[in-house]
């Protein structure tokens, strides 16, 4: 998604009631995972802890609240926040919903390996 209009195109192409990850970074050789996430109006991602990964969040459209380590932050277009590993975090959308980008190191896939 390198085209500056890609965000608008993505939202136009998504079903009106589509929520969750609307786009994901793909490719087997990548080192990062990235998702464009849309929360419908007044929806929320429950507070949770990511013990292993730092996550970068960038607001793309709409508005909401990003909670991290007990502090509430506005989530709106252009806002960039680092969610450190181990910190409790959650997101809630405002009355018009919110769209944001998440970026973090890729989790290696589970693989079956022979015993050493």
């Amino acid at each position: 998604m390198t085209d500056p209009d890609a965000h608008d195109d993505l939202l136009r192409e998504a079903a009106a009631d589509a929520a969750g990850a609307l786009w994901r970074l793909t490719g087997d050789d990548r080192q990062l995972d990235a998702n464009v996430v849309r929360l419908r109006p007044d929806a929320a991602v429950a507070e949770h802890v990511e013990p292993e990964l730092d996550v970068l969040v960038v607001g793309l459209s709409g508005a909401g609240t990003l909670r991290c380590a007990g502090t509430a932050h506005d989530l709106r277009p252009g806002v960039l926040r680092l969610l450190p590993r181990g910190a409790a975090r959650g997101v809630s959308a405002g009355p018009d919903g919110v769209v944001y980008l998440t970026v973090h190191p890729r989790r290696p896939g589970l693989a079956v390996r022979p015993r050493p």
Side-chain angles (χ1 to χ4, degrees), residues 17-24 35-40 100:
D17 61 347
L22 300 180
W23 174 87
R24 288 183 166 89
N35 301 285
V36 172
V37 178
R38 176 165 61 184
L39 292 182
R40 303 304 302 156
Y100 57 95

Side-chain angles (χ1 to χ4, degrees), residues 3-104:
D3 177 348
D5 295 323
H7 167 257
D8 294 336
D9 292 344
L10 178 65
L11 293 180
R12 263 194 305 278
E13 292 170 9
D17 61 347
L22 300 180
W23 174 87
R24 288 183 166 89
L25 192 61
T26 59
D28 292 336
D29 293 335
R30 71 187 192 280
Q31 293 180 340
L32 294 175
D33 275 333
N35 301 285
V36 172
V37 178
R38 176 165 61 184
L39 292 182
R40 303 304 302 156
D42 302 314
V45 174
E47 194 164 286
H48 61 286
V49 173
E50 170 49 66
E52 298 176 16
L53 301 174
D54 294 333
V55 177
L56 186 69
V57 176
V58 181
L60 299 176
S61 64
T65 302
L66 175 63
R67 291 174 312 286
C68 181
T71 302
H73 305 276
D74 286 339
L75 181 57
R76 60 184 186 289
V79 166
L80 180 129
R81 287 273 173 207
L82 174 64
L83 308 178
R85 65 185 169 272
R89 77 274 310 261
V91 180
S92 56
D96 296 322
V98 67
V99 179
Y100 57 95
L101 171 71
T102 65
V103 180
H104 58 80

